Amino acid sequence: MTRIVFVLFPGVTQLDMTGPAQFLSRLPGSTTIVAAPSADAVRTDCGFALVPAAAFADTPQADILCVPGGHGVADALECNETIDFIRRQAAGAKWVTSVCTGAFLLGRAGLLEGKRATTHWAYAHLLERVGAMHEPGRVVEDGQTITAGGVTAGIDFALTLIAREAGEDWAKAIQLSLEYDPHPPFDAGTPVAAGAARTEALKARVYTAAAERMAEALKRSQ
C-alpha cells in the first residue's frame, strides 16, 4: 500500500491539494491521508474548510509526501509543529513533493538545500533563501524531490509522479478518465503570455505585498 500524505494548514490554496489528490488517489494500491496539527477542520483560502483525516501525531509514515501552498504558507513557516512534521515524514518518504509556495515549507524543513526547484512565478526569486536553485517549469524533478509551479501545475506534477510509480500508460488512463485536456479560453497563464503590463498590475495588486510577507516570514524562521 502506497501512503500519500498531504499537509494541511490554515490559508492553504485548496486546488494545490485537491487537484493532485484527485489524480494521485487513483494511483493503484494507494491510500490518501490529509494531515494537520489536529483533527479540526482547516479553513482554506477559498472560504470553506477541509477536514483532515488525521492529526500529525496519528499520521503513519508517508511514501509520498505532498506539501501544498497558499497565502497561509507565511504563517505555516513559523509553525514548528508543521515544519517538524514535514521534516520527519520526508526522512522516510520515497517522494517528497510540493505545489506552488509549498516549496518554501520544504525549504524551511531543510529539504531543498542545493536542489533545483520551482514555485509560483511571483515567489520564485525567494527560493534561494531556502537554499534552492530556481528552475522555471511547471514540474521540476531533482532526485526524489518534485516541485510544481503555481496551483494548477499540481495536476501536471501528479501525472508525472503517477507515471514514475505506475507507468506512462496508467498515467494516461487517469488523464483520460478525468478528462484533463485543458484548453483555456485565454492565453494569459504565465507572465510571458500575459504580458508585462498585466503581470506588473497583478503584482502590484496582490503579489508584491504577499512576497514581502513571505520574505519576512522566511527571515524570522531562520
Side-chain angles (χ1 to χ4, degrees):
M1 177 68 69
T2 299
R3 292 194 186 99
I4 305 166
V5 173
F6 285 87
V7 179
L8 196 59
F9 52 85
V12 68
T13 293
Q14 62 85 20
L15 188 57
D16 282 9
M17 190 198 79
T18 56
Q22 186 67 63
F23 282 75
L24 288 171
S25 67
R26 301 194 180 197
L27 183 68
S30 69
T31 184
T32 301
I33 303 167
V34 178
S38 74
D40 296 334
V42 177
R43 193 171 181 83
T44 72
D45 65 358
C46 292
F48 59 80
L50 296 171
V51 180
F56 286 163
D58 303 319
T59 304
Q61 174 60 53
D63 298 296
I64 298 170
L65 176 67
C66 184
V67 181
H71 289 301
V73 164
D75 290 329
L77 284 167
E78 300 183 72
C79 176
N80 289 332
E81 188 176 8
T82 297
I83 299 303
D84 289 345
F85 176 78
I86 292 171
R87 188 182 291 117
R88 289 196 310 271
Q89 285 284 331
K94 179 179 179 181
W95 297 99
V96 176
T97 73
S98 67
V99 178
C100 197
T101 53
F104 294 101
L105 296 176
L106 293 186
R108 171 75 171 83
L111 302 171
L112 292 184
E113 188 68 39
K115 289 185 176 288
R116 293 175 291 106
T118 192
T119 188
H120 189 287
W121 59 265
Y123 302 87
H125 64 288
L126 297 175
L127 280 172
E128 63 180 17
R129 300 200 182 191
V130 292
M133 299 172 288
H134 177 232
E135 181 173 302
R138 285 179 67 80
V139 180
V140 172
E141 299 180 65
D142 191 327
Q144 301 304 107
T145 302
I146 305 178
T147 52
V151 194
T152 59
I155 294 175
D156 296 357
F157 134 71
L159 285 169
T160 299
L161 185 51
I162 291 167
R164 298 287 177 270
E165 284 289 288
E168 194 172 296
D169 285 345
W170 195 273
K172 289 178 177 178
I174 292 175
Q175 180 179 4
L176 175 60
S177 173
L178 295 173
E179 201 172 349
Y180 179 53
D181 183 31
H183 287 80
F186 310 108
D187 182 17
T190 68
V192 171
R198 183 171 286 109
T199 299
E200 291 305 315
L202 181 59
K203 284 175 66 176
R205 189 167 71 248
V206 177
Y207 289 114
T208 297
E212 288 174 354
R213 183 169 177 245
M214 184 80 79
E216 285 299 315
L218 287 167
K219 183 177 179 180
R220 286 193 302 269
S221 63
Q222 289 173 343

